[in-house]
Amino acid sequence: MNGQLIVSVSGITNTTRGVVDGFAREMDARGVPLSLFVAPRLAGHYLLVRDAHTQEWLLERREGGDAIVLHGYDHGGDARRHAEFAALPGHEARLRLLAADRVLDRTGLRTRLFAPPRWRASSGTVAALPGVGFRTMVDGAGVHDLVGGTLTRSRVHGVGDGAPSRPWRRRVVVSGAARVARRGEPLRLAVFAPVLAASGPRRGVLAAIDAALCHGAEPAVYRRPASSTGRVTV
């Protein structure tokens, strides 16, 4: 069975929505749904609750088959050492998760999927997630079924937001995507929305996706894994 291709986009705000929409339309033409990473607060005093246009766009994308994934609360933390959820004890993680969940519920974007910023979650965060209602967590190790207690291991190939987006890195991502797809393994490609505004990184991302599709990768989105098979299901 061919491996799955999961493309995620983070950093979606009022200023990046246009370029992400263009990218999403290119994915529609390829039959590739997106996993859209959403945070209630982001840098530059961005608040999702005050951005009705982005809320509407996200809702429309979800109705069309894309997945909404909670991507932290405000990405706060010790920037020199830790991402937002990378070192939090359980009670602090729970408070942030509850606050974020309330915002997504208010905007109609509530989800049971969680991806910690920079793909790093503390043991306290992992323990707190099921109590807040989350069923799946995706991190640097793979896709965690928080109900069944299983992990489907797969590597993240990223462009932007901490992952290098220089030409040599893009070539590595493209070749890596082709290699993973050729082996029939799950391919997770993570894209930081602002880099899509630059032609070089955008071409690199599209080339990686096209390479994976050429080798038979099956487009998918993040959802709760099927514990019995260990595969990410759609």
Side-chain angles (χ1 to χ4, degrees):
M1 179 177 180
N2 291 325
Q4 292 183 323
L5 166 66
I6 299 179
V7 181
S8 62
V9 182
S10 62
I12 304 169
T13 67
N14 58 321
T15 60
T16 62
R17 186 181 66 249
V19 70
V20 176
D21 181 63
F23 178 70
R25 291 176 186 277
E26 291 182 276
M27 294 301 98
D28 290 343
R30 291 166 168 81
V32 177
L34 294 173
S35 294
L36 303 170
F37 284 18
V38 179
R41 296 171 176 259
L42 289 173
H45 306 289
Y46 175 78
L47 297 175
L48 179 63
V49 292
R50 296 181 182 176
D51 187 0
H53 292 302
T54 297
Q55 293 176 37
E56 182 180 359
W57 182 84
L58 289 166
L59 288 168
E60 289 177 354
R61 292 300 309 181
R62 182 168 67 180
E63 289 176 1
D66 288 355
I68 301 297
V69 182
L70 176 64
H71 192 41
Y73 176 66
D74 62 4
H75 290 211
D78 186 340
R80 293 172 299 177
R81 295 185 300 166
H82 302 300
E84 181 183 6
F85 282 88
L88 289 182
H91 68 282
E92 291 185 22
R94 184 173 185 275
L95 290 175
R96 282 184 171 267
L97 291 167
L98 284 170
D101 187 50
R102 282 196 294 267
V103 171
L104 293 198
D105 187 37
R106 176 180 172 184
T107 57
L109 293 166
R110 198 179 196 200
T111 178
R112 302 296 79 191
L113 309 172
F114 177 73
R118 301 297 176 92
W119 305 99
R120 303 185 189 110
S122 65
S123 58
T125 297
V126 177
L129 282 164
V132 184
F134 288 89
R135 297 294 177 259
T136 301
M137 183 187 79
V138 294
D139 64 5
V143 181
H144 299 255
D145 180 349
L146 300 173
V147 178
T150 61
L151 166 64
T152 301
R153 293 190 176 277
S154 58
R155 178 184 173 187
V156 179
H157 296 258
V159 179
D161 195 23
S165 57
R166 293 182 178 181
W168 69 266
R169 173 60 184 174
R170 296 197 297 271
R171 290 192 293 271
V172 169
V173 170
V174 173
S175 62
R179 185 167 56 252
V180 170
R182 190 163 50 242
R183 292 198 299 255
E185 299 173 356
L187 171 62
R188 296 193 291 151
L189 184 62
V191 185
F192 186 45
V195 307
L196 292 171
S199 60
R202 188 188 187 99
R203 286 196 304 269
V205 170
L206 292 175
I209 292 169
D210 288 341
L213 294 175
C214 181
H215 287 288
E218 178 185 349
V221 294
Y222 285 121
R223 286 185 65 182
R224 178 181 170 182
S227 301
S228 60
T229 64
R231 291 194 176 94
V232 182
T233 59
V234 295

